[in-house]
Amino acid sequence: MKMFKLNGTFHQTLAVLAVVFSELCLGIGIGWLAPTLILLQKYNTHVILTLEECSWIASIEHFGKIFGALTSALLVDVVGRKFLLTFTAFVFFIQWPIVIFAKSALALCAIRIIFGFSWGLFEGANTVYLGETCTPKMRSILGTIAITADYFAVMIELIIATYFSFTTTAVINSAITFLAFLSAFWLKEPAQFLLMKGNHDKALENLMWLRGVTDPNDVKTEFEEISQDVAKERSKKSSLKETLTAPANYKSVCLLVIIYGLVASAGYFPVMSYSAMFFSETNVFTSKELTILLGMSQFLVVCVTSFVIDRFNRRSIIMISFSIISLAHAGSALLYYVNDKIYPVPYFSWLIFITMNIFVGVFAFMYPAIFLIRSELFPLSIKAVGGCSAIISFGVFSLLTTKMFISILTAFGIYVNFVIFSVISAALVIFVYFFLPETRNKSLIEIQKVWAKED
């Protein structure tokens, strides 16, 4: 029995390895932005950017993410999880050779749209794949590892883009993302999709491989539950409208759309995109080096998260984290207001750096829980559409928050942004407390039974 668990763990880890590599590609794209915006404002590398152009380049990726999520929702149950994730890995790769030849702000915007499209495509397929491939315990562990890879890549890319030239950085990123594309061929198609396509034998074979067994009887109960769940969903003749308006489905979609919209509006992407621009120089570090330290701190926090995420309820993690985030944003707002409107605050640069570190660190600690509930909460019939809806909500509000950050800063002062972020974070705590059910240590089928009882 011990050998079975080890073998099953190894196979599930191998099956998810390509997802981890794609998370590296995602982190590279996110981490590239902050130091590059500073570089292209000050030095004539390829193009000199205005502040307005920076705001578009920083935000336009979320526009692409919306369309990537829509494409994922339309195709994930048609072409399969494996094909879609492989294609996504290729799109992650192909953007970087194009970056080398980018000569204008418009070209950079187009490249960021491509990045956002691959981001939305990946997240839509990724959560479905992870939720269907792994056992509840492994789902938490491997999901956290994938998120850790994302933050690790952000940290490394902040360093690369700071100390290497624009072109050299693009060449390095091309090499890394090409290796990630090659790893996509390790993906294993989940049994759920194969059963949807009527491929019973291959579905059983893949499930046995993922659980590390050679005897079909060892997965008989699980396979029968999956088969019954797939058959139940396939037997439904409802239209998409009827499916989405079913009480349990409608409730889960609305819940995730609101939560993801609030999370996106809490300020993470503006802070990470513009941090090198609004950090003040210190007598020890430059603004870009402070941004690197910001990336390092959130990576270290995520490393800790991997050991504790499954020991606490998802709801508790989210509520406690956003309570702290709300206070951190309030602290940033107060510091900026006093420093700009009343008198210079002693050690202002370091105090702002501390409040920003608290924010990104706690956000990084919490984010795996947000990632996991999206893979756990939806039934098969709306998994693709529901996940897509949550990603679109995240993309829309990330776009608005990141684009409006500079406008609000210019019109009212930077402290107003952090007041807004603080209020939104507090609202998220209240919403989660009243509406989000717990999904920890529950199979996908058990979670749906909880929804059914509530109805």
Side-chain angles (χ1 to χ4, degrees):
M1 181 62 68
K2 183 178 180 180
M3 190 63 185
F4 155 67
K5 289 182 178 179
L6 288 174
N7 201 13
T9 298
F10 173 76
H11 283 187
Q12 290 175 58
T13 303
L14 188 62
V16 176
L17 197 57
V19 172
V20 173
F21 284 129
S22 289
E23 287 284 358
L24 289 174
C25 297
L26 178 57
I28 285 171
I30 295 172
W32 176 82
L33 196 58
T36 302
L37 291 180
I38 287 292
L39 176 70
L40 297 182
Q41 281 188 89
K42 295 183 178 180
Y43 307 103
N44 192 15
T45 305
H46 277 60
V47 57
I48 297 179
L49 302 177
T50 65
L51 194 59
E52 178 66 17
E53 288 170 337
C54 285
S55 71
W56 277 112
I57 292 171
S59 60
I60 200 68
E61 63 194 43
H62 300 291
F63 181 74
K65 186 178 181 180
I66 294 168
F67 287 96
L70 283 169
T71 303
S72 181
L74 292 172
L75 295 182
V76 71
D77 286 338
V78 177
V79 300
R81 292 72 164 129
K82 179 177 179 178
F83 177 87
L84 208 55
L85 287 170
T86 303
F87 177 74
T88 300
F90 175 74
V91 179
F92 271 131
F93 156 67
I94 200 64
Q95 65 186 296
W96 293 111
I98 301 174
V99 167
I100 297 172
F101 302 101
K103 299 293 184 180
S104 66
L106 184 61
L108 289 173
C109 281
I111 290 165
R112 294 309 286 181
I113 290 175
I114 294 173
F115 169 70
F117 178 81
S118 57
W119 185 354
L121 204 64
F122 170 68
E123 287 207 346
N126 175 35
T127 49
V128 176
Y129 180 80
L130 183 64
E132 293 177 348
T133 301
C134 303
T135 60
K137 183 70 175 179
M138 288 300 297
R139 189 170 63 222
S140 297
I141 295 171
L142 294 176
T144 304
I145 290 173
I147 295 296
T148 303
D150 185 357
Y151 284 102
F152 174 76
V154 170
M155 177 186 69
I156 295 300
E157 183 65 14
L158 286 170
I159 296 171
I160 293 173
T162 295
Y163 294 110
F164 288 90
S165 69
F166 182 89
T167 301
T168 302
T169 298
V171 170
I172 294 171
N173 292 346
S174 297
I176 295 172
T177 52
F178 180 71
L179 293 176
F181 166 63
L182 293 180
S183 74
F185 294 96
W186 292 336
L187 292 164
K188 184 70 76 171
E189 193 69 71
Q192 283 88 339
F193 174 75
L194 293 169
L195 286 170
M196 287 168 60
K197 297 302 179 181
N199 197 339
H200 181 278
D201 293 339
K202 186 64 176 177
L204 179 58
E205 177 187 329
N206 281 12
L207 183 62
M208 290 169 59
W209 186 89
L210 287 167
R211 301 300 179 255
V213 299
T214 56
D215 186 351
N217 290 323
D218 290 330
V219 293
K220 181 179 179 181
T221 301
E222 182 180 4
F223 188 71
E224 287 179 351
E225 286 184 346
I226 294 173
S227 299
Q228 291 170 6
D229 190 47
V230 171
K232 178 182 176 182
E233 298 297 336
R234 291 180 67 185
S235 67
K236 295 177 179 178
K237 303 299 182 180
S238 304
S239 65
L240 178 61
K241 180 180 178 181
E242 291 172 332
T243 300
L244 288 175
T245 54
N249 295 349
Y250 176 77
K251 185 161 45 176
S252 60
V253 171
C254 288
L255 179 67
L256 264 294
V257 164
I258 294 172
I259 288 177
Y260 267 71
L262 290 172
V263 170
S265 302
Y268 178 78
F269 288 105
V271 168
M272 290 305 298
S273 298
Y274 303 128
S275 56
M277 296 169 60
F278 60 65
F279 274 151
S280 301
E281 304 284 333
T282 71
N283 57 356
V284 180
F285 298 109
T286 66
S287 60
K288 289 192 288 186
E289 288 169 339
L290 288 174
T291 302
I292 292 173
L293 293 176
L294 201 66
M296 288 181 175
S297 66
Q298 64 179 356
F299 169 67
L300 293 175
V301 168
V302 171
C303 289
V304 174
T305 303
S306 62
F307 295 101
V308 302
I309 186 68
D310 208 46
R311 299 181 183 181
F312 301 97
N313 290 341
R314 316 276 197 247
R315 294 176 72 256
S316 300
I317 290 174
I318 295 170
M319 287 189 294
I320 293 173
S321 295
F322 272 98
S323 296
I324 297 172
I325 286 172
S326 181
L327 293 174
H329 281 322
S332 295
L334 181 62
L335 285 169
Y336 273 116
Y337 180 80
V338 172
N339 191 69
D340 294 346
K341 302 291 185 181
I342 302 177
Y343 59 85
V345 176
Y347 304 106
F348 172 75
S349 297
W350 286 112
L351 291 172
I352 282 294
F353 180 69
I354 290 171
T355 59
M356 296 296 181
N357 258 284
I358 292 172
F359 165 50
V360 300
V362 174
F363 191 94
F365 178 83
M366 169 282 310
Y367 193 73
I370 293 289
F371 171 82
L372 287 168
I373 61 173
R374 192 173 81 239
S375 68
E376 296 170 339
L377 206 57
F378 296 119
L380 183 63
S381 59
I382 60 161
K383 188 177 290 290
V385 175
C388 169
S389 300
I391 296 168
I392 289 173
S393 175
F394 194 85
V396 168
F397 285 96
S398 295
L399 171 64
L400 294 174
T401 305
T402 308
K403 185 66 183 73
M404 293 301 296
F405 186 91
I406 297 297
S407 300
I408 293 173
L409 182 157
T410 303
F412 305 105
I414 192 172
Y415 66 92
V416 175
N417 282 296
F418 290 97
V419 170
I420 294 171
F421 297 156
S422 179
V423 172
I424 290 172
S425 299
L428 178 58
V429 174
I430 297 170
F431 184 82
V432 168
Y433 177 80
F434 284 106
F435 297 107
L436 181 66
E438 185 53 54
T439 60
R440 183 171 70 101
N441 289 334
K442 292 183 175 68
S443 69
L444 302 184
I445 295 172
E446 288 172 337
I447 293 168
Q448 298 315 308
K449 290 179 179 178
V450 171
W451 281 112
K453 288 179 180 178
E454 290 185 1
D455 290 333

